[in-house]
Amino acid sequence: MAETNDFKAQPPEGIDATGASSEGASVYQLIREDIIEGRLAANERLVITDLARRHGTSTNPVREALQLLRGEGFVTFIPNRGARVRPIDQDFVRDIYEIGVLIEPSLTRWFVNMATVEDIAELERIQDLIEQNNFADTLRHSELDTAFHTVMYRKHYNRHAAELWWKHREVLRAVSRRFDFTLARRAAILSEHRELIAHVKAGRSNEAAELIARHVEGSGRHILEHMRARNAARAG
């Protein structure tokens, strides 16, 4: 079995993962990681000079990084108060996945109508790898799962929609790695992927679109359930 890095998820062609300079992208990844891991607390003020000193860079890459993080929703800007860490709470996750529920069925319907034999073969190849891994390596699963869905959206003519999908998926992927997959969610992912491939093969675009909406919503609700359980445990 190939190494996980051989399946590193990449954005669809024509979509820059960050749209930043190399230095700005590097600082963006570092600050983003600090927010996700809680090293930068919710509502904490983000002082550009402090962040530049912390990461050994000038202020321009930090400004660039904060704008990218603002676009993803990880950072908020308040007039006369500067940038702050947005709480990664249930409302944040709900808003992100609900957008996916709205746009992914449209992207999927188009894909089913345009899918080639090669596209279907690629979906089956990646799904075989997902099932071989069987969630043993969660990072590998995440990369393969993203690659699976990228096959469906990488050729879509609406690059703005594809870019929005990619950025929101990456946000949810970052948040979800705090949590393990339940057995029920594992079973749902595997069965829904296979059902989706069957719909694509048969050209059932409406059924595929309905399935992907349930699939995305199931993923979002899975994260929310983990968040509720974690919050309840902290409160107790």
Side-chain angles (χ1 to χ4, degrees):
M1 188 177 287
E3 294 298 321
T4 299
N5 287 341
D6 293 339
F7 300 96
K8 178 69 176 174
Q10 297 293 333
E13 186 176 353
I15 294 176
D16 191 331
T18 64
S21 65
S22 59
E23 191 172 6
S26 176
V27 176
Y28 153 82
Q29 291 290 349
L30 292 170
I31 298 174
R32 188 175 189 262
E33 188 74 10
D34 284 344
I35 293 172
I36 292 166
E37 294 300 324
R39 290 187 288 269
L40 289 170
N43 297 310
E44 181 174 344
R45 189 180 174 210
L46 298 169
V47 180
I48 291 175
T49 53
D50 290 347
L51 290 169
R53 186 164 48 250
R54 176 174 180 170
H55 296 295
T57 186
S58 64
T59 58
N60 282 341
V62 174
R63 294 180 197 278
E64 191 176 10
L66 293 182
Q67 288 297 334
L68 291 170
L69 291 163
R70 181 189 190 184
E72 285 189 329
F74 284 115
V75 167
T76 61
F77 280 81
I78 302 173
N80 302 318
R81 296 177 61 188
R84 290 184 182 271
V85 176
R86 188 198 192 286
I88 309 302
D89 55 16
Q90 294 176 45
D91 288 345
F92 177 78
V93 170
R94 181 206 60 213
D95 291 350
I96 293 293
Y97 88 72
E98 284 186 353
I99 292 172
V101 171
L102 291 173
I103 68 171
E104 288 197 48
S106 177
L107 296 174
T108 298
R109 191 177 288 108
W110 183 90
F111 170 73
V112 174
N113 290 326
M114 301 296 293
T116 64
V117 171
E118 291 75 19
D119 291 331
I120 294 170
E122 182 67 358
L123 287 177
E124 291 184 316
R125 183 186 75 84
I126 296 171
Q127 183 59 22
D128 285 342
L129 293 170
I130 288 172
E131 291 171 4
Q132 290 171 26
N133 181 58
N134 197 28
F135 301 92
D137 181 335
T138 55
L139 175 59
R140 178 182 174 82
H141 171 81
S142 177
E143 299 288 0
L144 288 169
D145 186 67
T146 297
F148 179 93
H149 289 278
T150 301
V151 169
M152 297 195 297
Y153 306 147
R154 64 189 177 186
K155 297 178 184 177
H156 199 280
Y157 67 90
N158 189 327
R159 304 317 291 160
H160 294 290
E163 183 173 4
L164 184 62
W165 164 76
W166 172 264
K167 289 183 176 180
H168 282 195
R169 182 177 180 86
E170 285 296 280
V171 169
L172 288 180
R173 208 155 67 97
V175 174
S176 67
R177 74 178 191 217
R178 301 176 179 180
F179 311 114
D180 293 327
F181 291 97
T182 63
L183 293 177
R185 186 62 198 153
R186 293 181 184 189
I189 290 169
L190 298 182
S191 66
E192 288 168 1
H193 277 198
R194 283 298 176 187
E195 185 180 353
L196 182 60
I197 292 172
H199 287 324
V200 176
K201 282 183 173 180
R204 296 189 291 262
S205 59
N206 289 333
E207 289 86 345
E210 291 170 3
L211 174 59
I212 206 70
R214 296 197 305 273
H215 188 67
V216 174
E217 184 168 12
S219 177
R221 289 189 179 278
H222 181 259
I223 299 171
L224 289 181
E225 287 165 4
H226 274 293
M227 295 178 79
R228 291 189 189 104
R230 181 195 59 191
N231 293 342
R234 288 176 176 173

